[in-house]
Amino acid sequence: MSAPSYIFTSESVSEGHPDKVSDAIADAVLDAALTGDRGSRVACEVLCKDHRVVLAGEISSETDLDFHTIVRDQVEKIGYTDDDQIFHPDRLELLEFITKQSSEIAHGVDAGERPPEEQGAGDQGIMFGFASDETPELMPLPILLSHRLAETLAGFRHGKKVNWLRPDSKTQVSVRYEGNTPVEVTDVLVSTQHAAEVTLDEIREFVRTELLPAALGTWFHERLKLRVNPAGTFVHGGPAADAGVTGRKIIVDTYGGMGRHGGGAFSGKDPSKVDRSGAYFGRWVARHVVNEGLAKKAEIQVSYAIGEAAPISVLVETFGTGDAERAARYVKEEFDFRPAAIIERLDLLRPIYRATTNYGHFGRPGLPWEA
């Protein structure tokens, strides 16, 4: 019986997408807090619209945080520096609605009279980790290529190689599978903000002849169907055209829909929040299951109750690609899912989080859960 054939699609967004601008600011705030105080508790939410940036949430830290400088620096690094932009680092209005972490949450999370390793989970919830051997990065190919397109596009812009590119963009890649094996890229969609003077024909020519070969590598071929700015011109973008909010790109941040998601966002949260650290550890464990040869594809689900250290449940799924019982025994014997153990094993009390914001939290080198 032949393996089923199907097409799977994933999308990515650039660092200039309004939601990603918000994520970047939130993660920069977290890194600034951890730089001065490894015990910082941060739950930072960000809203960007027009020339306004709103910070809200709970932050308890010994670090003296200069929010205005953090926000301006991030907006400038992303590239919203053209004089005709409403959203510009020199014209930003910042509104702050920050309080300290709730004493009730702090009491439930902190070890207190318990041993330090019994630090409670910072929230209840479910988290998933995923890995697949279909790529060297152990990531699904559609999201991996979507990220590469968005990141390569940003590289052309930052490198001043294409002077009409602007920060806001989205990419999408469709891949045909035979069973669990990706065999061909069928469709690519690129929507990129641009200067007013460039024509759509020029943009399409650049995407097909320069961007796609550079980003897709051996997966590029002339038969693929390409759509570039299908709605027409895209001059007005970023927070000036749309509102950006933290945590709205959770599928972009993870597996592009190929692996399940527990629903909790990552950016702006310190690692006591298991939405973030539990998902990172789940990815690390799933990678180990695949690397150990126990499965070709693995998914880990972990669940927590707020204030409790031990997880409620840990589930291992191998999708029929390996020995699920053996994989489950391996995970139970080798990995400690308590929050303090996760934080120690991955060394998460460091200012590493701004590096995770763009082009996926998984599948990129340099991150401890990818080591």
Side-chain angles (χ1 to χ4, degrees):
M1 186 174 179
S2 62
S5 176
Y6 59 92
I7 293 174
F8 196 92
T9 301
S10 296
E11 73 157 351
S12 181
V13 297
S14 71
E15 61 213 53
H17 186 282
D19 294 332
K20 277 295 154 196
V21 174
S22 298
D23 284 346
I25 293 170
D27 279 332
V29 168
L30 172 59
D31 277 358
L34 290 173
T35 297
D37 177 9
R38 287 169 61 92
S40 296
R41 295 288 168 80
V42 178
C44 181
E45 309 290 346
V46 181
L47 165 68
C48 298
K49 178 58 183 168
D50 292 332
H51 63 286
R52 297 180 180 88
V53 175
V54 179
L55 299 184
E58 300 175 326
I59 300 178
S60 295
S61 178
E62 297 298 320
T63 308
D64 184 16
L65 296 170
D66 183 349
F67 293 119
H68 285 80
T69 298
I70 293 170
V71 170
R72 284 196 302 268
D73 285 351
Q74 291 306 311
V75 173
E76 184 173 359
K77 288 176 182 177
I78 290 167
Y80 282 105
T81 55
D82 293 285
D83 290 337
D84 61 348
Q85 295 281 347
I86 297 173
F87 191 73
H88 188 283
D90 295 336
R91 294 189 284 272
L92 294 176
E93 177 183 341
L94 180 60
L95 302 176
E96 301 173 26
F97 303 96
I98 303 291
T99 61
K100 292 187 178 298
Q101 184 182 51
S102 162
S103 59
E104 293 171 315
I105 295 177
H107 176 75
V109 174
D110 293 335
E113 297 179 357
R114 298 170 291 176
E117 61 269 21
E118 293 303 317
Q119 171 184 321
D123 203 350
Q124 72 170 57
I126 58 174
M127 299 88 215
F128 289 92
F130 181 84
S132 170
D133 72 351
E134 65 188 74
T135 65
E137 295 84 358
L138 302 186
M139 287 292 287
L141 184 64
I143 187 64
L144 190 71
L145 294 182
S146 295
H147 286 323
R148 285 183 185 171
L149 277 170
E151 189 170 13
T152 304
L153 192 62
F156 277 108
R157 177 173 59 84
H158 285 299
K160 309 296 183 184
K161 295 179 180 179
V162 182
N163 59 15
W164 47 260
L165 283 171
R166 296 294 182 264
D168 194 359
S169 64
K170 301 178 78 171
T171 59
Q172 189 169 287
V173 175
S174 301
V175 175
R176 183 167 62 85
Y177 282 76
E178 300 290 346
N180 290 319
T181 304
V183 296
E184 182 183 44
V185 174
T186 63
D187 296 78
V188 171
L189 170 58
V190 176
S191 294
T192 181
Q193 186 187 11
H194 57 85
E197 63 270 17
V198 70
T199 68
L200 286 175
D201 285 341
E202 290 176 293
I203 299 171
R204 292 184 181 113
E205 178 68 13
F206 158 73
V207 170
R208 177 166 284 281
T209 62
E210 297 189 57
L211 176 63
L212 262 59
L216 301 185
T218 56
W219 289 101
F220 173 73
H221 59 87
E222 294 292 342
R223 301 182 309 280
L224 65 79
K225 298 176 183 177
L226 175 63
R227 296 170 179 84
V228 179
N229 288 19
T233 58
F234 186 3
V235 174
H236 303 290
D242 194 3
V245 182
T246 44
R248 288 206 298 195
K249 289 293 175 283
I250 58 175
I251 302 303
V252 170
D253 286 345
T254 53
Y255 308 104
M258 186 74 78
R260 287 179 286 188
H261 196 294
F266 300 155
S267 290
K269 298 178 181 178
D270 75 82
S272 72
K273 282 74 172 173
V274 285
D275 275 343
R276 187 167 211 163
S277 54
Y280 288 172
F281 196 64
R283 162 66 176 172
W284 198 61
V285 174
R287 290 182 69 254
H288 275 72
V289 169
V290 174
N291 281 328
E292 289 291 325
L294 298 172
K296 293 180 176 296
K297 184 162 64 173
E299 183 181 75
I300 309 296
Q301 187 207 51
V302 58
S303 67
Y304 292 93
I306 188 169
E308 296 184 11
I312 293 173
S313 64
V314 177
L315 175 67
V316 181
E317 171 63 72
T318 58
F319 305 97
T321 68
D323 187 334
E325 290 188 10
R326 185 180 169 206
R329 288 196 303 270
Y330 167 73
V331 169
K332 182 179 180 180
E333 293 168 0
E334 296 294 330
F335 300 98
D336 187 345
F337 282 82
R338 292 176 298 172
I342 292 173
I343 290 169
E344 180 181 5
R345 192 157 189 178
L346 297 182
D347 194 10
L348 296 180
L349 294 178
R350 296 176 290 152
I352 59 174
Y353 297 99
R354 178 61 185 88
T356 69
T357 312
N358 301 118
Y359 314 117
H361 291 242
F362 308 122
R364 295 191 292 117
L367 302 175
W369 45 94
E370 298 296 321

